[in-house]
Amino acid sequence: MEDGPTYGFDTLQIHAGSRPDPVTGARQTPIYQSTAYVFRDAEHAASLFNLQEVGYIYSRLTNPTVSVLQERIATLEGGVGAVCCSSGHAAQIMALFPLMSPGCNVIASTRLYGGTVTQFSQTIKRFGWSAKFVDFDDLDALKNAIDENTRAVFCEAIANPGGYITDLQAISSISDKAGLPLIVDNTTATPYLCRPIEYGATIVVHSTTKYMTGNGTVTGGCIVDSGKFDWSANQKFPSLSEPEPAYHGLRFHETFGALAFTFHGIAVGLRDLGMTMNPQAAHYTLMGLETLSLRMQRHSDNALKIASWLEEQETVEAVTYAGLKSSPYFDRVKKVCPKGAGGLFTVALKGGYDSCVKFVNALEIFSHVANLGDSRSLVIHTASTTHRQLTVEQQIAAGSAPNVVRISIGIEDPEDLIADLKQALSAAK
Ligand SMILES: *Cc1c(COP(=O)(O)O)cnc(C)c1O
């Protein structure tokens, strides 16, 4: 099937990137469990290695199953190309890698997945990179944080642990004016609820571990390029605009145009960082994507019902879900994610830290795990787990205060989930 803008999302999530196997006619995308690919002859091999011809060499760089997934995600996000990798965290490093060099910084939202805060505030320093954290609702603070060494702006569309919606259009107009790429982590929204490129994002990153795969089976990541950024407008992005010594002085932007970032991600990023997605993982994610829209709609509908119920309960202090009228992001979510506010929110209990621990222990259908975006409902006390490495100030800024529990609503019967929450709330009193 030819992919075209005429097809709807539900059609593309099943068909984009896949064709019947040319050898066997297999209708489902085969798992190409092969490390290497035979060259037609020595000239073919040479032209592949010179990037003069696109083809398969070695599965650290490209694999036919992974390629189908890349094309499918790029299509769903409205990008020109995508590179899959081993995890969401790998995707973040892979996205920053062509942009940054020692001394450079990324401006990041304070409202991020806890692991990303740790990666950005601690680990990237080992590369000589740094992050400046800013409240992305304070547009002046964002403008003021940008300096001559800034190379990217980074945020999440629906920010983990839930309830916060980023005004992507306002943020992208600032990054655009500053001549900087905007990277949006779209893990918790998925392209069904939000397509950040339509709001001006340059790059979209994913932890495909979560909703994109949807069943809690494999870790994976993806970097999608909008193809819209001019990497040669100034001297800030030499990896993309200047000659690459390891490819005989090839300039990625000049040679590959809109696909420069994608080609660099494979030919340099995967080649040298080696954060490769394996074909089994790509298979599971392809299976998951076939039902993405159905699942995300159910996640969102369930979450709205359950958040509304929770908000009425006596022992509950607050529920942060952008789909609720009480949320300061209620109007913004209608603009950024018109189909629903996703499956993720937090609930603050009046009983504090101890009450949260009892609540989490008493739940039966909900599993207490460090994951989100599964078909089954999940819960976690973030202050004692995912956000444990952060200071209390950072925890509060990230929406993970000590009396807060993060809930990832699954696609079970909402009545059963409410009954489970009800008994756990009384056990937590
Ligand atoms: C889980 C997650 C990540 C990290 O992804 P991994 O696949 O666990 O490496 C990054 N961002 C968000 C929003 C996440 O939920």
Side-chain angles (χ1 to χ4, degrees), residues 45-387:
S47 75
L48 288 174
F49 274 89
N50 274 343
L51 301 182
Q52 285 156 337
E53 194 178 327
V54 177
Y56 297 102
I57 301 176
Y58 185 66
S59 284
R60 175 160 24 85
L61 295 101
T62 46
N63 169 279
T65 312
V66 178
S67 295
V68 172
L69 177 62
Q70 289 172 164
E71 194 175 330
R72 188 162 306 169
I73 297 176
T75 304
L76 295 177
E77 284 288 4
V80 294
V83 180
C84 283
C85 57
S86 53
S87 71
H89 269 3
Q92 293 167 192
I93 295 297
M94 292 267 302
L96 290 175
F97 179 65
L99 312 178
M100 306 280 276
S101 52
C104 292
N105 67 68
V106 51
I107 312 289
S109 168
T110 46
R111 296 178 183 88
L112 293 179
Y113 175 69
T116 306
V117 176
T118 308
Q119 187 188 55
F120 282 11
S121 62
Q122 307 298 329
T123 304
I124 65 171
K125 283 192 218 156
R126 306 285 185 97
F127 306 141
W129 311 345
S130 63
K132 295 194 210 177
F133 292 94
V134 173
D135 176 354
F136 274 31
D137 275 346
D138 185 346
L139 300 179
D140 286 330
L142 170 58
K143 280 180 211 153
N144 292 335
I146 294 169
D147 64 32
E148 71 278 10
N149 294 321
T150 302
R151 292 294 179 274
V153 175
F154 186 100
C155 62
E156 294 174 8
I158 298 179
N160 191 324
Y164 177 80
I165 307 293
T166 307
D167 188 348
L168 296 176
Q169 217 147 21
I171 304 300
S172 74
S173 72
I174 292 172
S175 59
D176 265 2
K177 275 206 194 85
L180 294 171
L182 171 62
I183 305 173
V184 177
D185 180 341
N186 201 30
T187 299
T188 52
T190 82
Y192 174 69
L193 295 178
C194 174
R195 307 213 314 162
I197 290 170
E198 290 172 0
Y199 300 105
T202 312
I203 308 284
V204 175
V205 292
H206 274 282
S207 166
T208 58
T209 314
K210 315 291 171 52
Y211 293 105
M212 299 285 263
T213 305
N215 307 98
T217 47
V218 286
T219 60
C222 188
I223 309 105
V224 184
D225 181 17
S226 66
K228 291 180 180 158
F229 197 85
D230 181 1
W231 305 110
S232 307
N234 51 45
Q235 311 298 305
K236 283 186 177 169
F237 305 103
S239 297
L240 295 158
S241 62
E242 296 301 309
E244 166 65 39
Y247 284 108
H248 310 298
L250 171 143
R251 294 170 194 257
F252 277 89
H253 193 206
E254 188 184 273
T255 309
F256 300 110
L259 281 166
F261 195 88
T262 301
F263 270 86
H264 190 277
I266 294 168
V268 180
L270 289 180
R271 186 196 63 188
D272 296 342
L273 300 175
M275 300 164 162
T276 306
M277 177 181 277
N278 67 74
Q280 283 283 343
H283 166 75
Y284 283 114
T285 306
L286 281 166
M287 295 301 96
L289 283 179
E290 294 193 351
T291 56
L292 182 67
S293 62
L294 310 177
R295 289 184 291 105
M296 290 315 291
Q297 194 60 60
R298 180 64 176 255
H299 281 295
S300 294
D301 294 348
N302 274 1
L304 180 58
K305 274 185 202 150
I306 292 162
S308 307
W309 178 84
L310 274 171
E311 201 175 36
E312 300 296 308
Q313 304 311 302
E314 203 191 307
T315 52
V316 169
E317 183 182 292
V319 179
T320 56
Y321 184 60
L324 295 175
K325 286 211 181 71
S326 59
S327 166
Y329 302 104
F330 183 73
D331 292 329
R332 191 180 286 174
V333 80
K334 297 261 177 292
K335 194 175 90 182
V336 181
C337 307
K339 296 195 196 85
L344 209 59
F345 60 81
T346 64
V347 52
L349 299 186
K350 286 179 185 157
Y353 189 101
D354 294 340
S355 202
C356 290
V357 170
K358 281 189 205 152
F359 173 68
V360 163
N361 283 339
L363 284 164
E364 282 166 10
I365 299 175
F366 286 79
S367 306
H368 186 204
V369 296
N371 192 20
L372 61 92
D374 195 325
S375 50
R376 65 216 84 230
S377 292
L378 312 173
V379 67
I380 195 160
H381 183 220
T382 46
S384 62
T385 55
T386 53
H387 289 58

